[in-house]
Amino acid sequence: MSLYFDNNKLFDAEGHLTDEGLYAIKDGTLDDLGALEAAEHLSFCDYCLLRYTAMIDAAPDCMKQPMRDLIPQVQSLMRLRSFRIMTNRYVSAAAAVVLGFVMWGAVSTFGVPNAAALLPQQPAARQERFGAKFNTAVNGFYKSLDDTFKSFTLTAENGLDQIRAQSIGGSTAKGE
């Protein structure tokens, strides 16, 4: 004897689900093909759906209740999904803003090519290449940074020299 219900006994002569077929749906003893056929039949046959619903309503209350409450799990998944969606939106927007600032800085640093430069002309003095302009800009930045650190160092050394001069030459006795 098989554990599964015989699919040949699932439908009666009129094409509706038999009582044994409905019980097999409820008990879960249908194989995959039988379950698929029964589900398809219940999707369009109101008569069989009403019979199946009445059979479920007659079941004890302990069988009607879900095994566990799914609301907290579903809510946490919804929160996680909304967090991911918002994070992706903000990351995309931040990337666009950063890209905009980079492009704006590049245009303001290196300038916008004029339309006359795009037209064919006689070879004139060779223009500076992008790499050379970039190197010039980076070297200028490092030079200004180096000058700033040097000025900080000189100021600190001057302050230390003044403190040393005061402590060596100055007198801290009362009355003098």
Side-chain angles (χ1 to χ4, degrees):
M1 182 164 170
S2 173
L3 294 175
Y4 290 111
F5 182 77
D6 185 15
N7 288 343
N8 293 330
K9 298 179 186 175
L10 191 59
F11 295 102
D12 61 9
E14 295 177 6
H16 294 290
L17 289 168
T18 61
D19 290 336
E20 294 86 14
L22 288 173
Y23 283 110
I25 294 171
K26 185 182 86 161
D27 295 338
T29 57
L30 289 175
D31 62 352
D32 291 339
L33 180 62
L36 184 63
E37 287 178 356
E40 181 183 4
H41 182 77
L42 287 174
S43 70
F44 66 84
C45 182
D46 292 335
Y47 174 71
C48 292
L49 185 63
L50 285 174
R51 287 176 46 220
Y52 184 62
T53 306
M55 184 177 62
I56 291 175
D57 286 340
D61 286 337
C62 65
M63 296 191 70
K64 293 179 190 176
Q65 298 296 324
M67 293 186 333
R68 59 188 168 105
D69 190 16
L70 297 176
I71 292 173
Q73 181 182 3
V74 171
Q75 285 178 341
S76 67
L77 287 174
M78 288 172 56
R79 273 189 237 107
L80 179 65
R81 181 167 288 171
S82 65
F83 175 74
R84 285 181 182 164
I85 289 170
M86 293 304 290
T87 303
N88 288 341
R89 286 182 185 170
Y90 285 126
V91 165
S92 300
V97 168
V98 167
L99 184 62
F101 279 126
V102 166
M103 295 299 286
W104 185 13
V107 167
S108 66
T109 302
F110 302 114
V112 179
N114 57 5
L118 299 176
L119 297 174
Q121 296 177 355
Q122 295 292 330
R126 185 173 176 170
Q127 292 188 0
E128 202 173 359
R129 296 180 59 204
F130 174 77
K133 285 184 179 181
F134 184 76
N135 284 339
T136 305
V138 170
N139 289 338
F141 170 75
Y142 282 126
K143 183 179 181 320
S144 65
L145 189 64
D146 189 43
D147 292 343
T148 304
F149 284 138
K150 282 182 183 176
S151 68
F152 284 145
T153 305
L154 287 175
T155 304
E157 287 176 356
N158 289 340
L160 286 174
D161 289 341
Q162 288 176 359
I163 291 172
R164 285 185 196 132
Q166 285 178 358
S167 64
I168 293 172
S171 171
T172 58
K174 283 187 175 181
E176 287 186 27

